[in-house]
Amino acid sequence: QLDFATSCNPETIYASDELKEQVYIIDPFVCNYYILLNCGNENDGSTEGLTALKDADIRHAISWAINRDEVAQASGYGEAAYPLYGYVPSGIPGATGDFREETGDETKYDLDAAKKIMEDKGYSADNMLTIEYKYNDTAMHKNIAQVLQANLKEIYINLKCTSTEKSTFFDARDKGDGEMFRHAMTADYFDPMTYLEMLYGKDTAGNLTDDATYEGMIDAANAEADPAKRLEKLGEAERYLVEDQAYIVPLIGYSEPYLKKSNLKGIVSS
């Protein structure tokens, strides 16, 4: 009955052959979905999970054990979701093209390497590491949490999935009250810093890293007058964040699907 519709339910759309033919996708939508690891909370050491997440090797194992193709499928976003191996999603401009393509992958899927790390740390099927993962209660987040739970079980991690209503979840994440959190964000402005500044500054809500080296890299990038060199330095900072330290675990990028009647022409989106 409508010519154009936003705020559509992806699961409803992609379950209907008729609706799938009317999907309209803004490409790129510029949105990421990732896991935020609690690496710098002042309450660290109070739980087994918080202690383990202080170890960069274990953080890498978590990232390498996750099958992002399975996560994309579980999201319910169909072809609008894609595996993401860096923090900044596709669609943000770099020096000459797309920042994600220019910077490249910063993590990987390597189950064998992840399992070896955990075995070297003394974990096994008989000695599992328990980590709590928090998310707000929607079908999408629940489905993704179940994929993460199954993936991490392969490397001897018992992922305890805890869902709450949205405001309770956001409050816990902002305060660092937990071990692992689901996170996602679209861009506030058209530059990699819209993402990278989220992990800068002790007073930033949800900043659970507290790393002076990273903050120094961001400061150096912001002080760079040459635009191309600035973007290069931002790429180095992102690589430190994801590849070197594995403070966050990127999962997927995705676009919100809209619906448009096939005979409706002249629609422009940004």
Side-chain angles (χ1 to χ4, degrees), residues 158-176:
N158 172 32
L159 194 67
K160 178 184 175 183
C161 297
T162 302
S163 65
T164 58
E165 57 89 23
K166 183 183 292 186
S167 62
T168 300
F169 166 73
F170 285 157
D171 184 60
R173 190 177 68 187
D174 288 348
K175 292 178 178 177

Side-chain angles (χ1 to χ4, degrees), residues 58-167:
I58 290 179
R59 299 197 299 266
H60 280 105
I62 291 171
S63 185
W64 297 349
I66 295 173
N67 187 323
R68 288 158 178 82
D69 290 320
E70 293 181 1
V71 175
Q73 184 177 4
S75 72
Y77 277 80
E79 295 180 358
Y82 61 91
L84 184 61
Y85 295 91
Y87 183 32
V88 177
S90 299
I92 294 290
T96 59
D98 187 278
F99 180 84
R100 179 74 278 127
E101 293 180 3
E102 292 178 357
T103 306
D105 293 346
E106 293 165 343
T107 187
K108 58 187 177 181
Y109 176 54
D110 191 335
L111 185 59
D112 290 338
K115 185 177 291 187
K116 186 178 187 307
I117 287 174
M118 297 300 290
E119 289 173 347
D120 289 345
K121 299 290 180 180
Y123 295 104
S124 66
D126 297 324
N127 182 33
M128 303 275 283
L129 168 63
T130 296
I131 298 179
E132 185 179 24
Y133 175 69
K134 291 185 176 183
Y135 62 96
N136 52 302
D137 191 14
T138 72
M140 173 188 178
H141 302 324
K142 180 180 180 180
N143 291 340
I144 289 177
Q146 289 175 342
V147 169
L148 301 179
Q149 190 176 53
N151 286 171
L152 294 181
K153 185 178 180 181
E154 296 291 319
I155 61 166
Y156 318 120
I157 292 178
N158 172 32
L159 194 67
K160 178 184 175 183
C161 297
T162 302
S163 65
T164 58
E165 57 89 23
K166 183 183 292 186
S167 62

Side-chain angles (χ1 to χ4, degrees), residues 36-44 46 50 134 166-183 202-209:
L36 180 65
L37 304 178
N38 192 343
C39 311
N41 187 283
E42 61 185 14
N43 296 321
D44 69 281
S46 59
L50 285 175
K134 291 185 176 183
K166 183 183 292 186
S167 62
T168 300
F169 166 73
F170 285 157
D171 184 60
R173 190 177 68 187
D174 288 348
K175 292 178 178 177
D177 181 15
E179 299 167 2
M180 287 173 49
F181 306 88
R182 81 97 190 156
H183 211 312
K202 292 182 180 180
D203 297 328
T204 304
N207 180 9
L208 307 179
T209 60

